Amino acid sequence: MKLSRTTLAVALFAALSAPAAHAEIALDVIGDSEVTFEGLLQGDYNDFNSDVLNLNGDLPDGKDSDNELRRAELVLKGKGPGNFEWVAGYDAKADKFLDVNLKYKLGGDANHYVQFGQFKQPNSLEELSSTKNNDFISKAMVTNTFGIARRVGAAYSYGSNNWSITASYFGDELTRNLKRGDGYGLRGTFAPINEKGNILHLGLSYVNLEAELEGNTGVTKDSLRIRTRPQADLAGGRLVDSGTLTNLDRQAIIGAEAMYVHGPFKLQAEYMQSKIGRYKTATLTGQDYTTDSFYVSGVWNITGETWGYKAGVPTTPLPDEPSSGMWQLAVRYDKIDLNDGGLRPGATPTAAPIVDGVLGGEMDAWTVGVNWYWRSNFKFMLDYSVVDSSRYIGKTSATYSQNPVYNNRTFNRVVDDSPNILSARFQFYW
């Protein structure tokens, strides 16, 4: 959805009127609740060196590039009365609700609580980490594809500074025509090493939810489509795509995560496997659809800062020297496999092969990046991604590629597609 002039003006006014401080803005005490105001503005630029598929999704920005306001998040938070905490957030750019929930700390313990409303579900280390402190402009393929993110529901969490167990039951996303499907989730974390500048984190998660395909035309139950952009949030196309799958039952996602911090260095990895049950029909065998994805990343704080650890996720520090800022170098390798099937010969030697199962394709990418946190409210990011993918393609559309040789073409085979992408982001937060 396009950002309206009104919502853009509200976001810009909030940003320009905010003081130059990292902490949220204290507004007032209302009903014994200390109310504060936070905000996040992100502007992105993607330059595409497309190979086969045309990745440019917005022609007015240029033939090979896209740029737009990525996020305009406005958030109110409250502490109190007593052991209650609440939050109400809205993204004026995406025109959708963010966290909107109420939390009660049992016995006043921040690690022991119940939560009601919309919140991020317990199944992804990267997704649960703060968006403003992402190590890369685009989240990893596994996070974007299998991270459940925000849903309306209820959760219970118990733990300490070194371990946690969180269970949730959830339904649809609060904003209409977005993510849907009832489900439940469970995540456990353990930090056998948790010292300043020396952290080892391990985690496991499981989510099980109904398969429901959302969209502006309504909801299609027992259907789902799994697809992933190639390390660029503004890309207009996906290099791997399962297509719309029907006669589905439920989707089960298991995840494993690990993170190690030693001084100014951080290593992080996640793996997830998705398994979708399918009903047997006259034309479908009922074979389950199983896919997986993972990433491994490393970050070096050149200026020497280290990370903290809270509630099972890393926390990013402020620069030691605000005037010169904190500099980071980062590298990531990630991969996704949406193939679960094969090809059988057609009825005749010249006929197209028959897809047995689902051939959504494979994709992997190397991404290198540099981040600069300046003072307490600004962040600048620059990433370069080298992507390799392959996917079975029957016939392409008339606008599939910028190269006309690939348009309206019958392939009936696996096609390699290897673009390179340069991404930049400007961020202001308070």
Side-chain angles (χ1 to χ4, degrees):
M1 179 177 290
K2 294 294 184 181
L3 181 67
S4 69
R5 293 181 181 180
T6 301
T7 53
L8 178 58
V10 170
L12 290 177
F13 176 77
L16 294 174
S17 61
H22 175 72
E24 63 274 8
I25 302 170
L27 295 182
D28 201 350
V29 177
I30 304 174
D32 294 328
S33 181
E34 300 175 2
V35 182
T36 58
F37 179 48
E38 297 181 6
L40 172 66
L41 290 177
Q42 291 178 339
D44 284 7
Y45 171 82
N46 289 163
D47 184 82
F48 306 109
N49 182 11
S50 300
D51 183 12
V52 180
L53 177 65
N54 179 19
L55 297 177
N56 183 27
D58 191 355
L59 289 177
D61 292 343
K63 180 181 178 182
D64 298 307
S65 63
D66 281 324
N67 61 87
E68 66 176 52
L69 185 65
R70 182 75 176 89
R71 290 181 176 89
E73 299 183 356
L74 308 173
V75 182
L76 289 174
K77 290 185 176 181
K79 292 184 178 180
N83 295 330
F84 285 99
E85 294 182 356
W86 59 269
V87 60
Y90 188 77
D91 187 343
K93 168 60 177 72
D95 195 17
K96 68 176 184 178
F97 290 102
L98 303 172
D99 287 340
V100 181
N101 61 70
L102 178 69
K103 178 189 292 186
Y104 181 75
K105 297 179 292 185
L106 299 170
D109 185 355
N111 295 310
H112 190 196
Y113 62 85
V114 290
Q115 191 172 24
F116 305 93
Q118 176 160 285
F119 51 87
K120 290 184 177 180
Q121 299 305 309
N123 87 314
S124 169
L125 175 62
E126 186 179 34
E127 181 63 40
L128 290 170
S129 302
S130 176
T131 300
K132 67 176 182 290
N133 294 324
N134 283 348
D135 297 327
F136 301 88
I137 295 173
S138 177
K139 295 176 183 177
M141 301 175 192
V142 62
T143 309
N144 284 329
T145 309
F146 300 126
I148 301 301
R150 294 180 174 92
R151 298 291 188 92
V152 175
Y156 171 78
S157 185
Y158 182 59
S160 69
N161 293 333
N162 300 325
W163 64 273
S164 69
I165 296 178
T166 304
S168 71
Y169 180 82
F170 58 87
D172 302 339
E173 192 169 343
L174 188 59
T175 306
R176 292 185 61 187
N177 298 325
L178 294 181
K179 298 297 182 180
R180 301 183 62 90
D182 294 346
Y184 57 90
L186 180 67
R187 178 176 182 252
T189 69
F190 177 50
I193 303 174
N194 186 9
E195 306 166 354
K196 181 176 175 58
N198 195 27
I199 303 166
L200 176 61
H201 160 94
L202 304 171
L204 294 173
S205 64
Y206 177 79
V207 174
N208 189 292
L209 68 158
E210 292 182 352
E212 290 190 12
L213 183 64
E214 70 284 346
N216 293 328
T217 58
V219 177
T220 303
K221 290 186 176 296
D222 301 332
S223 299
L224 204 63
R225 185 178 187 181
I226 300 178
R227 52 182 181 167
T228 307
R229 287 187 173 89
Q231 306 300 81
D233 296 331
L234 305 183
R238 278 81 162 179
L239 298 181
V240 291
D241 188 344
S242 69
T244 299
L245 306 175
T246 58
N247 296 95
L248 305 183
D249 186 8
R250 298 183 68 87
Q251 180 181 21
I253 303 171
I254 59 172
E257 59 193 56
M259 179 190 68
Y260 178 63
V261 171
H262 186 70
F265 300 97
K266 181 179 73 167
L267 294 176
Q268 186 169 308
E270 290 190 74
Y271 170 84
M272 291 190 193
Q273 183 190 80
S274 165
K275 186 173 183 178
I276 304 175
R278 306 191 76 176
Y279 297 114
K280 185 176 181 180
T281 68
T283 58
L284 292 174
T285 62
Q287 179 180 352
D288 293 341
Y289 178 43
T290 302
T291 58
D292 64 358
S293 180
F294 73 90
Y295 74 87
V296 179
S297 67
V299 183
W300 172 32
N301 287 334
I302 304 172
T303 42
E305 294 86 351
T306 191
W307 288 263
Y309 184 73
K310 183 179 180 181
V313 297
T315 59
T316 301
L318 292 172
D320 288 341
E321 297 292 338
S323 60
S324 56
M326 178 174 69
W327 287 86
Q328 296 179 328
L329 287 180
V331 61
R332 178 179 68 196
Y333 175 78
D334 55 342
K335 180 180 176 65
I336 188 168
D337 184 356
L338 298 186
N339 286 333
D340 188 16
L343 295 174
R344 293 189 286 111
T348 66
T350 58
I354 299 171
V355 176
D356 185 10
V358 180
L359 296 180
E362 296 181 342
M363 179 167 61
D364 63 81
W366 283 96
T367 300
V368 294
V370 58
N371 304 322
W372 181 35
Y373 290 83
W374 182 53
R375 295 192 176 274
S376 302
N377 304 85
F378 296 93
K379 182 182 180 183
F380 303 88
M381 307 179 72
L382 186 67
D383 289 353
Y384 186 75
S385 298
V386 178
V387 183
D388 288 309
S389 72
S390 62
R391 180 164 65 98
Y392 176 81
I393 297 177
K395 184 177 180 179
T396 59
S397 67
T399 58
Y400 188 82
S401 176
Q402 292 183 357
N403 187 342
V405 72
Y406 295 118
N407 294 330
N408 276 328
R409 179 173 173 179
T410 300
F411 283 96
N412 290 330
R413 62 176 174 84
V414 174
V415 177
D416 295 331
D417 196 342
S418 302
N420 300 328
I421 303 166
L422 178 69
S423 303
R425 168 173 289 173
F426 166 77
Q427 174 174 295
F428 176 65
Y429 53 97
W430 68 92

